[in-house]
Amino acid sequence: MRLEFVKTFIDSTTHLFQEVVCSDAEVASIKMRPSPVAGGEVMAIIGLMGDAQGRVIFDMDSLTATRIAECMIGEPSEGLTPMVRSAIAELASMATGRAISEINNGGVTLKMSPPTVISGANISYDHCLETLVAPITTAYGEVRVNITIQDLK
Amino acid sequence: MVNEKRASVGAKGPLNCLIVDDSAFARFRLRRLMDSLDHCVASEAANGNEAISAYNRLKPDIVLMDIVMPGLEGVETVRRICEADPQARVIMISSVSYRDKIEEALAAGAKCFIPKPVTTEELKRAIDKVMDKDEMLDVRC
Protein backbone atom coordinates (compact mmCIF):
# COMPACT_ATOMS: atom_id res chain seq x y z
CA MET A 1 0.00 0.00 0.00
CA ARG A 2 1.40 3.40 -1.01
CA LEU A 3 0.29 5.14 2.17
CA GLU A 4 1.91 8.42 1.18
CA PHE A 5 -0.64 8.74 -1.63
CA VAL A 6 -3.66 8.00 0.49
CA LYS A 7 -3.72 11.41 2.17
CA THR A 8 -3.71 13.03 -1.28
CA PHE A 9 -6.84 11.11 -2.29
CA ILE A 10 -8.65 11.89 0.96
CA ASP A 11 -7.71 15.58 0.87
CA SER A 12 -8.79 15.98 -2.75
CA THR A 13 -12.13 14.34 -1.96
CA THR A 14 -12.87 16.51 1.09
CA HIS A 15 -11.85 19.70 -0.73
CA LEU A 16 -13.99 18.78 -3.71
CA PHE A 17 -17.03 18.24 -1.50
CA GLN A 18 -16.54 21.71 -0.06
CA GLU A 19 -16.10 23.19 -3.53
CA VAL A 20 -18.76 21.34 -5.56
CA VAL A 21 -21.56 20.62 -3.12
CA CYS A 22 -20.74 23.23 -0.46
CA SER A 23 -20.63 20.65 2.29
CA ASP A 24 -18.13 20.35 5.09
CA ALA A 25 -16.54 16.93 4.87
CA GLU A 26 -15.03 15.36 7.96
CA VAL A 27 -12.95 12.23 7.87
CA ALA A 28 -13.67 9.74 10.64
CA SER A 29 -11.21 7.05 11.70
CA ILE A 30 -9.37 5.57 8.72
CA LYS A 31 -9.06 1.80 8.77
CA MET A 32 -7.10 -0.80 6.84
CA ARG A 33 -9.24 -3.71 5.67
CA PRO A 34 -8.46 -6.89 3.74
CA SER A 35 -10.83 -5.79 0.94
CA PRO A 36 -13.14 -2.85 0.09
CA VAL A 37 -16.09 -2.30 2.41
CA ALA A 38 -19.27 -3.87 1.04
CA GLY A 39 -22.88 -2.93 1.65
CA GLY A 40 -23.22 0.46 0.04
CA GLU A 41 -25.95 0.77 -2.55
CA VAL A 42 -23.93 2.90 -4.97
CA MET A 43 -20.28 2.43 -5.92
CA ALA A 44 -18.23 4.61 -8.27
CA ILE A 45 -15.10 2.66 -9.24
CA ILE A 46 -11.99 4.15 -10.86
CA GLY A 47 -8.93 2.13 -11.83
CA LEU A 48 -5.39 3.43 -11.33
CA MET A 49 -2.42 2.43 -13.45
CA GLY A 50 1.13 3.60 -14.13
CA ASP A 51 4.09 3.41 -11.74
CA ALA A 52 1.61 1.99 -9.22
CA GLN A 53 -1.74 0.32 -9.71
CA GLY A 54 -4.94 0.01 -7.77
CA ARG A 55 -8.41 1.46 -7.58
CA VAL A 56 -10.50 4.00 -5.75
CA ILE A 57 -14.09 3.12 -4.85
CA PHE A 58 -16.54 5.77 -3.63
CA ASP A 59 -19.24 3.88 -1.76
CA MET A 60 -22.50 5.34 -0.35
CA ASP A 61 -26.18 4.61 0.13
CA SER A 62 -28.65 5.61 -2.56
CA LEU A 63 -30.20 8.46 -0.54
CA THR A 64 -26.78 10.04 -0.02
CA ALA A 65 -25.95 9.63 -3.71
CA THR A 66 -29.25 11.19 -4.73
CA ARG A 67 -28.91 14.14 -2.36
CA ILE A 68 -25.33 14.87 -3.49
CA ALA A 69 -26.34 14.62 -7.14
CA GLU A 70 -29.37 16.86 -6.64
CA CYS A 71 -27.05 19.54 -5.30
CA MET A 72 -24.73 19.15 -8.29
CA ILE A 73 -27.57 19.11 -10.83
CA GLY A 74 -29.47 21.93 -9.15
CA GLU A 75 -32.87 20.27 -9.22
CA PRO A 76 -34.72 17.41 -7.47
CA SER A 77 -34.32 13.85 -8.78
CA GLU A 78 -36.53 10.80 -8.50
CA GLY A 79 -34.04 8.32 -7.05
CA LEU A 80 -31.04 6.92 -8.91
CA THR A 81 -31.74 8.30 -12.35
CA PRO A 82 -29.09 8.05 -15.09
CA MET A 83 -28.23 11.73 -14.46
CA VAL A 84 -27.78 11.06 -10.72
CA ARG A 85 -25.45 8.13 -11.49
CA SER A 86 -23.54 10.29 -13.96
CA ALA A 87 -23.16 13.10 -11.42
CA ILE A 88 -21.75 10.68 -8.84
CA ALA A 89 -19.37 9.27 -11.44
CA GLU A 90 -18.24 12.80 -12.30
CA LEU A 91 -17.68 13.67 -8.64
CA ALA A 92 -15.54 10.53 -8.21
CA SER A 93 -13.67 11.34 -11.41
CA MET A 94 -12.95 14.92 -10.31
CA ALA A 95 -11.71 13.83 -6.87
CA THR A 96 -9.48 11.12 -8.33
CA GLY A 97 -8.26 13.30 -11.19
CA ARG A 98 -7.26 16.04 -8.80
CA ALA A 99 -5.37 13.55 -6.61
CA ILE A 100 -3.48 11.89 -9.44
CA SER A 101 -2.59 15.31 -10.85
CA GLU A 102 -0.88 16.20 -7.58
CA ILE A 103 0.86 12.81 -7.49
CA ASN A 104 2.04 13.18 -11.10
CA ASN A 105 3.37 16.67 -10.37
CA GLY A 106 5.43 14.98 -7.64
CA GLY A 107 7.14 12.77 -10.20
CA VAL A 108 5.14 9.52 -10.02
CA THR A 109 3.25 8.55 -13.18
CA LEU A 110 -0.31 7.57 -12.39
CA LYS A 111 -3.26 7.39 -14.79
CA MET A 112 -6.93 6.78 -14.17
CA SER A 113 -9.68 4.93 -15.99
CA PRO A 114 -13.10 6.46 -16.69
CA PRO A 115 -15.44 5.84 -13.73
CA THR A 116 -17.89 2.97 -13.57
CA VAL A 117 -20.98 3.23 -11.35
CA ILE A 118 -22.76 0.14 -10.07
CA SER A 119 -25.80 0.15 -7.82
CA GLY A 120 -28.09 -2.30 -6.07
CA ALA A 121 -28.82 -3.82 -2.67
CA ASN A 122 -25.86 -5.26 -0.76
CA ILE A 123 -23.40 -4.90 -3.60
CA SER A 124 -19.81 -5.89 -2.92
CA TYR A 125 -16.49 -5.82 -4.71
CA ASP A 126 -14.83 -9.21 -4.67
CA HIS A 127 -11.18 -8.37 -5.14
CA CYS A 128 -9.40 -9.13 -1.86
CA LEU A 129 -6.74 -6.47 -1.86
CA GLU A 130 -5.66 -4.60 1.23
CA THR A 131 -7.76 -1.46 1.22
CA LEU A 132 -7.68 1.72 3.22
CA VAL A 133 -11.21 2.87 4.00
CA ALA A 134 -11.85 6.53 4.85
CA PRO A 135 -15.43 7.29 5.93
CA ILE A 136 -16.23 10.92 5.09
CA THR A 137 -19.19 12.56 6.80
CA THR A 138 -20.96 15.16 4.66
CA ALA A 139 -24.17 17.13 5.01
CA TYR A 140 -25.79 14.58 2.70
CA GLY A 141 -24.67 11.40 4.46
CA GLU A 142 -21.56 9.26 4.65
CA VAL A 143 -19.30 8.58 1.66
CA ARG A 144 -16.65 5.89 2.12
CA VAL A 145 -13.50 6.25 0.04
CA ASN A 146 -11.85 2.84 -0.45
CA ILE A 147 -8.28 3.19 -1.69
CA THR A 148 -6.02 0.40 -2.91
CA ILE A 149 -2.71 1.42 -4.43
CA GLN A 150 0.36 -0.78 -4.76
CA ASP A 151 3.69 -0.68 -6.55
CA LEU A 152 4.04 -2.82 -9.63
CA LYS A 153 6.26 -5.84 -8.90
CA MET B 1 -26.17 12.35 -30.00
CA VAL B 2 -28.36 15.38 -29.41
CA ASN B 3 -30.27 17.42 -31.95
CA GLU B 4 -27.82 19.63 -33.78
CA LYS B 5 -28.31 23.33 -34.26
CA ARG B 6 -26.26 26.36 -35.21
CA ALA B 7 -26.36 29.89 -33.98
CA SER B 8 -26.45 32.74 -36.44
CA VAL B 9 -22.96 34.07 -35.87
CA GLY B 10 -22.07 37.72 -36.11
CA ALA B 11 -18.67 39.26 -35.45
CA LYS B 12 -19.33 39.28 -31.71
CA GLY B 13 -22.40 37.07 -31.73
CA PRO B 14 -23.04 33.70 -30.13
CA LEU B 15 -20.52 30.95 -30.82
CA ASN B 16 -21.34 27.48 -32.06
CA CYS B 17 -19.85 24.98 -29.67
CA LEU B 18 -19.21 21.24 -29.60
CA ILE B 19 -19.12 19.65 -26.13
CA VAL B 20 -17.11 16.43 -25.80
CA ASP B 21 -17.29 14.48 -22.54
CA ASP B 22 -18.20 10.88 -21.71
CA SER B 23 -20.13 12.12 -18.65
CA ALA B 24 -23.76 13.03 -19.31
CA PHE B 25 -23.65 15.20 -16.19
CA ALA B 26 -20.55 17.08 -17.40
CA ARG B 27 -22.18 17.71 -20.78
CA PHE B 28 -25.36 18.89 -19.03
CA ARG B 29 -23.37 21.28 -16.86
CA LEU B 30 -21.29 22.67 -19.73
CA ARG B 31 -24.42 23.15 -21.84
CA ARG B 32 -25.95 25.10 -18.96
CA LEU B 33 -22.82 27.28 -18.65
CA MET B 34 -22.74 27.92 -22.40
CA ASP B 35 -26.45 28.81 -22.34
CA SER B 36 -25.75 31.28 -19.53
CA LEU B 37 -23.07 32.89 -21.73
CA ASP B 38 -25.55 33.09 -24.63
CA HIS B 39 -23.60 30.68 -26.82
CA CYS B 40 -25.13 27.85 -28.84
CA VAL B 41 -24.30 24.19 -28.26
CA ALA B 42 -24.30 22.83 -31.81
CA SER B 43 -23.86 19.25 -30.65
CA GLU B 44 -22.47 16.93 -27.99
CA ALA B 45 -20.20 13.91 -28.26
CA ALA B 46 -19.45 11.21 -25.68
CA ASN B 47 -16.10 10.01 -27.07
CA GLY B 48 -13.31 10.94 -29.44
CA ASN B 49 -14.64 9.23 -32.55
CA GLU B 50 -18.05 10.90 -32.16
CA ALA B 51 -16.26 14.21 -31.62
CA ILE B 52 -14.20 13.97 -34.83
CA SER B 53 -17.29 13.06 -36.82
CA ALA B 54 -19.31 15.94 -35.32
CA TYR B 55 -16.44 18.41 -35.81
CA ASN B 56 -16.04 17.53 -39.48
CA ARG B 57 -19.78 17.81 -40.03
CA LEU B 58 -20.43 21.01 -38.08
CA LYS B 59 -17.11 22.91 -38.01
CA PRO B 60 -18.00 24.54 -34.67
CA ASP B 61 -16.36 27.80 -33.60
CA ILE B 62 -15.12 26.22 -30.40
CA VAL B 63 -14.74 22.74 -28.86
CA LEU B 64 -14.87 21.97 -25.13
CA MET B 65 -12.98 18.68 -24.69
CA ASP B 66 -12.56 16.27 -21.80
CA ILE B 67 -9.42 14.11 -21.55
CA VAL B 68 -10.29 10.83 -19.79
CA MET B 69 -12.84 9.06 -22.00
CA PRO B 70 -13.34 5.44 -23.01
CA GLY B 71 -12.02 4.60 -26.46
CA LEU B 72 -10.31 7.53 -28.17
CA GLU B 73 -9.29 9.84 -25.32
CA GLY B 74 -9.23 13.63 -25.43
CA VAL B 75 -5.62 14.52 -26.23
CA GLU B 76 -5.42 12.16 -29.22
CA THR B 77 -8.81 13.45 -30.39
CA VAL B 78 -7.53 17.03 -30.30
CA ARG B 79 -4.42 15.97 -32.22
CA ARG B 80 -6.53 14.46 -35.00
CA ILE B 81 -8.94 17.41 -35.16
CA CYS B 82 -6.12 19.96 -35.28
CA GLU B 83 -4.10 18.01 -37.85
CA ALA B 84 -7.12 18.15 -40.15
CA ASP B 85 -8.01 21.74 -39.24
CA PRO B 86 -5.14 23.79 -37.76
CA GLN B 87 -7.61 26.64 -37.13
CA ALA B 88 -9.64 24.52 -34.68
CA ARG B 89 -10.16 26.19 -31.33
CA VAL B 90 -10.20 23.58 -28.59
CA ILE B 91 -10.43 24.24 -24.85
CA MET B 92 -9.51 21.24 -22.70
CA ILE B 93 -11.61 20.86 -19.56
CA SER B 94 -10.47 18.02 -17.35
CA SER B 95 -9.94 16.96 -13.76
CA VAL B 96 -6.60 15.49 -14.88
CA SER B 97 -4.50 18.62 -14.79
CA TYR B 98 -0.87 17.76 -14.09
CA ARG B 99 1.89 19.66 -15.87
CA ASP B 100 2.88 16.99 -18.40
CA LYS B 101 -0.73 16.36 -19.40
CA ILE B 102 -1.42 20.08 -19.90
CA GLU B 103 1.73 20.39 -22.04
CA GLU B 104 0.71 17.30 -24.01
CA ALA B 105 -2.75 18.77 -24.66
CA LEU B 106 -1.34 22.12 -25.79
CA ALA B 107 1.23 20.39 -28.02
CA ALA B 108 -1.62 18.41 -29.59
CA GLY B 109 -3.27 21.68 -30.59
CA ALA B 110 -5.50 22.70 -27.68
CA LYS B 111 -5.50 26.46 -27.16
CA CYS B 112 -6.27 26.47 -23.47
CA PHE B 113 -6.73 24.22 -20.44
CA ILE B 114 -9.22 24.58 -17.57
CA PRO B 115 -9.22 22.17 -14.61
CA LYS B 116 -12.60 20.81 -13.48
CA PRO B 117 -14.83 21.88 -11.87
CA VAL B 118 -15.11 24.84 -14.24
CA THR B 119 -16.95 28.02 -13.29
CA THR B 120 -18.85 30.38 -15.58
CA GLU B 121 -16.15 33.03 -15.14
CA GLU B 122 -13.33 30.63 -16.00
CA LEU B 123 -15.16 29.42 -19.09
CA LYS B 124 -15.94 32.96 -20.25
CA ARG B 125 -12.32 34.03 -19.76
CA ALA B 126 -11.07 31.00 -21.69
CA ILE B 127 -13.46 31.58 -24.59
CA ASP B 128 -12.55 35.27 -24.74
CA LYS B 129 -8.84 34.42 -24.86
CA VAL B 130 -9.21 31.71 -27.46
CA MET B 131 -11.42 33.83 -29.72
CA ASP B 132 -9.30 36.98 -29.36
CA LYS B 133 -5.89 35.44 -30.02
CA ASP B 134 -4.62 33.48 -32.96
CA GLU B 135 -1.43 32.36 -31.30
CA MET B 136 -1.19 29.29 -29.09
CA LEU B 137 -1.77 30.00 -25.43
CA ASP B 138 0.83 28.34 -23.29
CA VAL B 139 -0.76 28.81 -19.91
CA ARG B 140 -3.94 27.73 -18.20
CA CYS B 141 -6.85 29.98 -19.00
Side-chain angles (χ1 to χ4, degrees), chain A residues 64-75:
Chain A
T64 300
T66 304
R67 292 174 69 193
I68 290 170
E70 284 177 338
C71 181
M72 294 172 70
I73 296 165
E75 53 193 55

Side-chain angles (χ1 to χ4, degrees), chain A residues 44-48 54-58 89 92-94 96-97 112-116:
Chain A
I45 304 166
I46 294 178
L48 303 172
R55 69 183 65 85
V56 186
I57 301 175
F58 298 80
S93 179
M94 285 191 287
T96 305
M112 61 184 271
S113 71
T116 299

Side-chain angles (χ1 to χ4, degrees), chain A residues 115-138:
Chain A
T116 299
V117 173
I118 56 175
S119 60
N122 299 315
I123 52 174
S124 61
Y125 197 83
D126 288 336
H127 286 257
C128 295
L129 291 172
E130 195 174 47
T131 300
L132 198 142
V133 183
I136 298 178
T137 304
T138 76

Side-chain angles (χ1 to χ4, degrees), chain A residues 16 19-20 72-75 83 86-87 90 93-94 97-98 100-101 104-105 110 112-114, chain B residues 21-26 28-29 32 66 68-70 95-101 116-117 140:
Chain A
L16 199 70
E19 197 174 325
V20 174
M72 294 172 70
I73 296 165
E75 53 193 55
M83 187 58 80
S86 181
E90 183 70 358
S93 179
M94 285 191 287
R98 189 175 285 194
I100 71 160
S101 295
N104 274 273
N105 282 338
L110 205 56
M112 61 184 271
S113 71
Chain B
D21 200 306
D22 61 316
S23 163
F25 169 78
F28 163 82
R29 176 158 167 72
R32 195 180 259 182
D66 187 23
V68 179
M69 296 185 288
S95 57
V96 176
S97 57
Y98 54 92
R99 283 187 299 273
D100 290 354
K101 184 58 76 177
K116 286 183 180 178
R140 291 190 194 190

